[in-house]
Amino acid sequence: MLIVANGKVITRDADTPYIDDGAVAVEGNTIAAVGTTKELTDAYPDAEVIDAEGKLIMPGLINAHTHIYSALARGMSIRGHSPKNFYEILDGLWWKLDRHLTLEATACSAYATLIDCIKQGVTSVFDHHASFCEIKGSLKTIADVAEELGVRSCLCYEVSERDGEKKCRESIEENSEFIDYCAKKNSPMIKAMFGMHAAFTLSDKTLSECVRLNDGRTGFHIHVAEGMDDVKDSLENHGMRTVNRLYEAGILGRKTILGHCIHVDGDEMELIRVTDSMVVNNPESNMGNAVGCSPVLKLFEKGILVGLGTDAYTNDMLESLKAALAIQRHNAKLPNVGWNEVTTMLFKNNAAIAGRYFDTPVGVLKVGAAADIIVMDYKPFTPISGDNIDGHMIFGMTGRQCETTIINGKVLMKNRQLVGIDELSINERICDSAKKLWSQIC
């Protein structure tokens, strides 16, 4: 038995959203009790106790869309690369990088990203991978690192025709084989989706083959209308908009994640709604790539499940939360919109998205939920209660304030020290891999 005690507990449970002097008891990999510090320490006198020292105790954060493969690009500069549009960003940077990612580089990218997640209180990730240098076994490589580090992960491979028919076929098979692997393993920590890059890099034949091989086993994870290239390709070559094309192909559905959805119209939103498909907004990436602002407010009006991701622009979900609010208000030219939507995206909808893949509830501190718990080094100097916790999140907190991270009942970081993870040797391995990668593409 483990108790995280003596903290201000934010549960994200509507029945008991906030406990001023609270504690969370963990038995195995689930939460056994939530209450006051006195109640739990009296009930479990022999339990190991982690003293939060008056700081915030809250559920681990969830990233609903990221790209582990981009980790080794941090600080990298490619000579002559000065993109003027989104396609040039893809072709000149990200596709060039993933064409050089070996399995070793993929493993190092996973270590770099997931250690950073642990440090910033992110306990679950939905990753969308690409490594067209070495495709086969890449998802298993990431899964092995995720299991070693202890981070809850839902993985897929990015099918694309951009590097030819052979690579496309290998990427389809990588998804299918990993789905089989996850079904046999039946791990509570590792799940699979069927990934695709974006419709403008996929023929109707490839879409059909993905649907055929998936055979309803899982949902799809695909970029949708992130840039106008996607929209123009669908209209000019297929006579319909992007979401309509995916609907006709059988891609939409309750377990499908549509990343971005910036350039979607009302009819497309209606298709997303009636199929109960999920959308994930990635605000900082959208701003950085200058592709536009996702119509989050309209998506909410439609009743669509909209989550929050980072697209690997950052691993800090609280940073993404702040950006989501700012861009929605800037785009609407109204300073009084977006608050409910962006906080719902991160703290409620991301948990609902995860709930469509992981059997045990995450993103909430309540009895029976997964023991994914973080302690944030935040001692408020203004009043805090269940009514204003999101204001403290947006204006007072960042991921780097995380000092203790527990995932599935296992302590992975305590007092900002990683537990059972040799960060120094892993970091040396990552740096060696990055140097080799940069020498090939810079």
Side-chain angles (χ1 to χ4, degrees), residues 65-339:
H65 178 79
T66 191
H67 294 288
I68 281 172
Y69 82 85
S70 69
L72 301 188
R74 185 180 292 182
M76 183 180 71
S77 178
I78 299 176
R79 293 185 188 89
H81 179 60
S82 181
K84 298 178 179 62
N85 56 56
F86 183 48
Y87 183 84
E88 291 182 2
I89 294 172
L90 293 174
D91 189 52
L93 173 58
W94 300 119
W95 295 350
K96 181 174 286 189
L97 182 146
D98 79 56
R99 288 178 183 125
H100 291 84
L101 282 183
T102 61
L103 291 181
E104 170 62 12
T106 290
C108 288
S109 299
Y111 278 117
T113 300
L114 297 180
I115 286 175
D116 207 33
C117 287
I118 293 169
K119 289 182 174 182
Q120 299 194 68
V122 176
T123 55
S124 300
V125 298
F126 283 74
D127 187 65
H128 195 277
H129 180 63
S131 56
F132 279 84
C133 176
E134 287 191 77
I135 297 171
K136 187 174 178 59
S138 58
L139 294 180
K140 176 65 163 52
T141 296
I142 295 172
D144 287 346
V145 174
E147 288 194 295
E148 177 188 338
L149 297 178
V151 179
R152 200 178 304 275
S153 304
C154 185
L155 311 176
C156 69
Y157 192 91
E158 178 178 293
V159 174
S160 174
E161 295 176 28
R162 63 180 181 260
D163 281 354
E165 184 177 347
K166 182 176 181 295
K167 293 288 186 181
C168 179
R169 185 68 200 180
E170 288 178 9
S171 60
I172 292 173
E173 291 172 352
E174 177 66 9
N175 276 304
S176 186
E177 290 172 8
F178 187 70
I179 293 167
D180 283 340
Y181 168 80
C182 287
K184 292 175 182 177
K185 188 176 179 65
N186 195 27
S187 167
M189 299 295 290
I190 305 293
K191 300 297 180 181
M193 298 186 75
F194 204 114
M196 291 177 281
H197 171 248
F200 79 93
T201 68
L202 299 164
S203 66
D204 288 344
K205 178 182 176 182
T206 295
L207 290 178
S208 296
E209 182 63 3
C210 290
V211 172
R212 186 187 72 81
L213 271 187
N214 185 22
D215 194 27
R217 292 177 293 168
T218 188
F220 295 93
H221 193 164
I222 181 171
H223 302 103
V224 176
E226 182 178 2
M228 284 304 297
D229 297 281
D230 205 10
V231 180
K232 290 177 180 177
D233 176 80
S234 289
L235 288 171
E236 293 174 4
N237 297 318
H238 304 278
M240 63 186 79
R241 293 182 68 89
T242 309
V243 174
N244 299 73
R245 187 174 170 222
L246 297 177
Y247 175 76
E248 293 292 332
I251 301 297
L252 304 185
R254 186 176 182 276
K255 298 193 77 172
T256 286
I257 290 177
L258 309 177
H260 304 288
C261 287
I262 296 171
H263 305 287
V264 292
D265 66 13
D267 290 339
E268 289 178 290
M269 292 183 199
E270 183 62 15
L271 283 177
I272 296 170
R273 184 191 70 80
V274 298
T275 57
D276 198 17
S277 302
M278 303 172 280
V279 172
V280 176
N281 177 224
N282 306 275
E284 288 176 295
S285 172
N286 297 160
M287 288 188 283
N289 290 330
V291 291
C293 175
S294 177
V296 165
L297 304 182
K298 291 182 179 179
L299 292 167
F300 263 79
E301 288 175 5
K302 286 281 188 181
I304 293 167
L305 180 60
V306 185
L308 187 66
T310 65
D311 207 34
Y313 201 93
T314 178
N315 296 315
D316 185 342
M317 292 309 301
L318 295 177
E319 179 184 318
S320 191
L321 176 70
K322 301 174 201 296
L325 179 62
I327 190 174
Q328 290 301 320
R329 289 183 169 181
H330 178 78
N331 186 62
K333 297 181 176 60
L334 290 170
N336 64 342
V337 300
W339 184 285

